[in-house]
Amino acid sequence: MDVIDGRTARRNRNRDAVLDAMIELTTETGEEPPIEAVAERAGVSYRAVYRYFDDRTDLMVSAIKQIMGEGYAILHIDGLGEGPLDIRIARLVETFVRAHRDLGPLTRLAVRLRASDPAVAELHDDVRRYSRRQVETQFTPELAELDPDERHLALVGIGATLQVESLDYLSSHEQLDEESIISILTRQIKTHLATPER
């Protein structure tokens, strides 16, 4: 059995407090918070933040991973690929709407920073690839009925439908409630998967 000494336990608590502070402040402001503010909220010194994280990017990427959970658990779909089409669409949409609610502020920040920060771009691309695999598995029978070009367009269309920018437009610009957003996303996904027979 591993024994964690007091110093390691304190370090782990402080590191978690810094991550929590980063997440809270980003969620509250929608912006990347100054390290001074993160340190103050976490109850640690400015220098301590950089004992736990290499730089600002490491802190932000770690915060995103913390929310997403082990293996991107936040995007896990119960019964992946199982059940009738309507049920599979509902599960996918509910998962991504919930993830947008929890991850939105940090994801927006990542989208802004990805062009200038390779580590952020790598994480962002990895999450997109994971999401696409989820969609491919969730709708394997329907995608198999499409020719290769249509299948590609369906996957691109569903991916675009589920992007944070699309969900932001519906929730912030159009000020739609969650029920309306779910209804719109459901219709869009059905359209992307449609064949003449469906």
Side-chain angles (χ1 to χ4, degrees), residues 17 33 35 63 148 157 162 178 184 196:
I35 295 299
L162 299 172
E178 197 165 285
I184 288 173

Side-chain angles (χ1 to χ4, degrees), residues 124-165:
H124 195 248
D125 290 343
D126 195 40
V127 172
R128 281 186 168 171
R129 284 190 293 268
Y130 179 83
S131 299
R132 185 168 178 138
R133 289 194 301 272
Q134 294 278 87
V135 170
E136 288 174 327
T137 303
Q138 189 75 334
F139 303 122
T140 296
E142 292 74 25
L143 292 168
E145 293 180 24
L146 303 175
D147 68 40
D149 289 339
E150 290 174 331
R151 187 180 309 124
H152 175 72
L153 291 176
L155 286 168
V156 170
I158 293 171
T161 296
L162 299 172
Q163 289 302 304
V164 68
E165 296 91 340

Side-chain angles (χ1 to χ4, degrees), residues 67-84:
I67 296 179
M68 296 201 75
E70 188 70 30
Y72 302 146
I74 197 170
L75 294 176
H76 172 76
I77 299 168
D78 290 332
L80 184 65
E82 299 174 1

